[in-house]
Amino acid sequence: MKLQLALAFAAAAFAVFADDAPDATSNPIKYSLDTCSQPRVLRTQAEVAMLWEATYKAGETVTRTAPDGTSSTLVGNAATGGSVALGVNAGGLWTFTNSAEGEATFAVRHSAYGTLGDGTVASPAKIVDVMELFEMATAGTVGDGYVYTFVGVPGASPLPPIGLIAEAAGDGLWKLVADPDVVVSGSRVYLLDTRQGGPDRTVNVRRGYSIAYSGDDWARDASAESTVTVKTPTGVETSQSFTGTDATPFVATKRGEYTVTMTAGGKTMTAVITYAPGAGFIVFVE
């Protein structure tokens, strides 16, 4: 009888566990963890309704500061622990303070309560968080000439939409105007390798790759010339001449280092592509 075993070996990760018993084991405890940054942005009334209540322990005091600066005590020197509703009901900055635990601030957008404003000098928009204008521009609701006032966290400022800058309009107002130094192009699709630093690469699958080339440092002049040379691990060199900007196929066939150079406009760029197929191997036992 003939027995044949095919064993495929690959890298493995191992975990080591201690054999010692724990000193003590507690009962299961449930807890909630909010990892949102401050201030937390609330875009709709639905998001406001999902807020947790403010919790407190005996002896603690919980206060609330409304957008107009009015401060009120929700719980004062509590006799026992418990929780209390926040009572958020308008746009603006809301700050809640627990005398023992610290404070939390919420930026509630005025658009959730219909108090945003029209975006004019007579009715400026009240912006409370730094991404609000950018998101509104993406949705197509703001543009050149939009007037606003920032009522968010002091010291912060909203991010202007692409192609626009904020220009002072007096009395604490700002106006979005076209940036003369920005030209917005049409959309393009690019491939980006973020797994490792470039230009050198290591590949372990023999499939089709592409080598990008350009005769003018990717400014896309259709007549700009370049030359791409590939040197195989055995020392064989192949050169190709191109015009314009595009990519040429590259297929690794032998294990080892391929040296790729592109010469254009008096400059030469070099990358080393290491072809290292499969870390495992097959063992047959008969």
Side-chain angles (χ1 to χ4, degrees):
M1 180 177 180
K2 182 179 180 182
L3 175 65
Q4 186 180 66
L5 301 177
L7 306 177
F9 294 86
F14 298 91
V16 179
F17 299 91
D19 294 328
D20 295 340
D23 293 333
T25 303
S26 70
N27 294 323
I29 299 174
K30 294 183 179 180
Y31 66 93
S32 296
L33 176 65
D34 187 345
T35 60
C36 293
S37 59
Q38 292 261 6
R40 180 173 174 180
V41 177
L42 302 174
R43 296 169 174 80
T44 65
Q45 289 191 38
E47 292 183 4
V48 173
M50 293 175 64
L51 287 175
W52 303 332
E53 292 188 337
T55 59
Y56 54 86
K57 298 178 181 178
E60 296 177 350
T61 296
V62 180
T63 59
R64 175 183 64 203
T65 302
D68 61 2
T70 303
S71 181
S72 58
T73 300
L74 301 181
V75 178
N77 192 20
T80 60
S83 63
V84 62
L86 299 181
V88 174
N89 57 12
L93 286 182
W94 294 79
T95 300
F96 299 86
T97 304
N98 180 296
S99 57
E101 301 295 335
E103 68 178 35
T105 299
F106 300 88
V108 183
R109 291 188 178 179
H110 282 271
S111 55
Y113 291 91
T115 56
L116 176 62
D118 299 329
T120 64
V121 174
S123 178
K126 294 182 284 293
I127 303 299
V128 296
D129 74 86
V130 296
M131 290 301 296
E132 191 169 359
L133 284 175
F134 192 88
E135 293 179 10
M136 292 168 68
T138 302
T141 57
V142 304
D144 192 356
Y146 195 79
V147 178
Y148 68 93
T149 180
F150 185 65
V151 292
V153 176
S157 58
L159 178 67
I162 295 175
L164 299 173
I165 58 175
E167 182 180 84
D171 296 327
L173 301 181
W174 296 87
K175 182 170 67 172
L176 295 177
V177 297
D179 186 345
D181 297 324
V182 173
V183 177
V184 181
S185 70
S187 61
R188 292 185 182 275
V189 178
Y190 291 92
L191 297 179
L192 178 64
D193 184 348
T194 60
R195 296 182 62 184
Q196 57 189 346
D200 298 341
R201 293 286 185 268
T202 298
V203 296
N204 54 26
V205 179
R206 188 166 68 182
R207 63 174 178 81
Y209 292 88
S210 296
I211 301 172
Y213 61 82
S214 173
D216 58 351
D217 202 15
W218 283 267
R220 294 187 174 272
D221 181 350
S223 62
E225 299 179 348
S226 62
T227 300
V228 175
T229 301
V230 178
K231 182 179 180 180
T232 70
T234 59
V236 177
E237 292 190 4
T238 302
S239 296
Q240 291 178 281
S241 297
F242 301 99
T243 57
T245 299
D246 207 331
T248 184
F250 166 76
V251 178
T253 57
K254 296 182 181 294
R255 180 190 297 269
E257 293 183 346
Y258 291 76
T259 302
V260 181
T261 60
M262 185 186 76
T263 302
K267 297 192 305 182
T268 299
M269 290 181 281
T270 304
V272 176
I273 301 175
T274 303
Y275 175 45
F281 56 93
I282 304 296
V283 177
F284 292 94
V285 181
E286 296 188 6

